[in-house]
Every structure is written in C-alpha cells, then in structure tokens.
Amino acid sequence: MSVKVLNPNAEVLNKSAALHMNINAAKGLQDVLKTNLGPKGTIKMLVGGAGDIKLTKDGNTLLKEMVSEFPHQR
C-alpha cells in the first residue's frame, strides 16, 4: 500500500486541468525568458519578499530566483 502526503493547502486538479495550467505556465516562462536573449535583451528587476532588488539579464538567474508552483494531479 502506498501513502500520498499532500500539502493540505495544495490545489488538486484533474489531469487535463493540470496539464492546461502547466502549459500556460511554460508559455509564461517563455515570454519572460525570450526578452532576455540576444544583444537586444532587456534587464529584469527581481524584487524579493523582503524588498531586496536584483537586476539581471541572465536567464539562469531568472529561473533560479523565480518561484514556480505546479498543481497536483489526481
């Protein structure tokens, strides 16, 4: 017997709704990251929860600093 432990505050969706939400999240990431690429890429300002500010044009830094949550499937 397997036991699943879920965060009681987690959002549980059916598979198709979770897939749709994950696709939309990936498209959003794509929109943010594509404006960083190339010689005409723009600098992004990241503001942390404590109000600290970081300026970056590095896609890797953006991915590390961004908070991403994915829905659980049932």
Side-chain angles (χ1 to χ4, degrees):
M1 177 191 333
S2 68
V3 176
K4 289 186 179 182
V5 178
L6 293 177
N7 177 348
N9 299 324
E11 185 177 352
V12 179
L13 303 173
N14 64 32
K15 288 181 183 180
S16 63
L19 177 62
H20 183 70
M21 186 174 281
N22 286 340
I23 289 171
N24 285 337
K27 286 180 180 179
L29 278 174
Q30 175 189 5
D31 290 342
V32 169
L33 291 175
K34 74 180 175 184
T35 60
N36 266 49
L37 302 175
K40 295 184 180 182
T42 57
I43 295 175
K44 302 290 186 269
M45 181 185 344
L46 304 172
V47 181
D52 52 320
I53 297 173
K54 183 182 286 189
L55 298 174
T56 185
K57 190 179 169 185
D58 178 30
N60 187 35
T61 301
L62 278 174
L63 288 174
K64 285 182 179 178
E65 298 290 331
M66 291 173 69
V67 176
S68 300
E69 293 182 16
F70 296 96
H72 294 281
Q73 298 177 14
R74 60 175 148 139

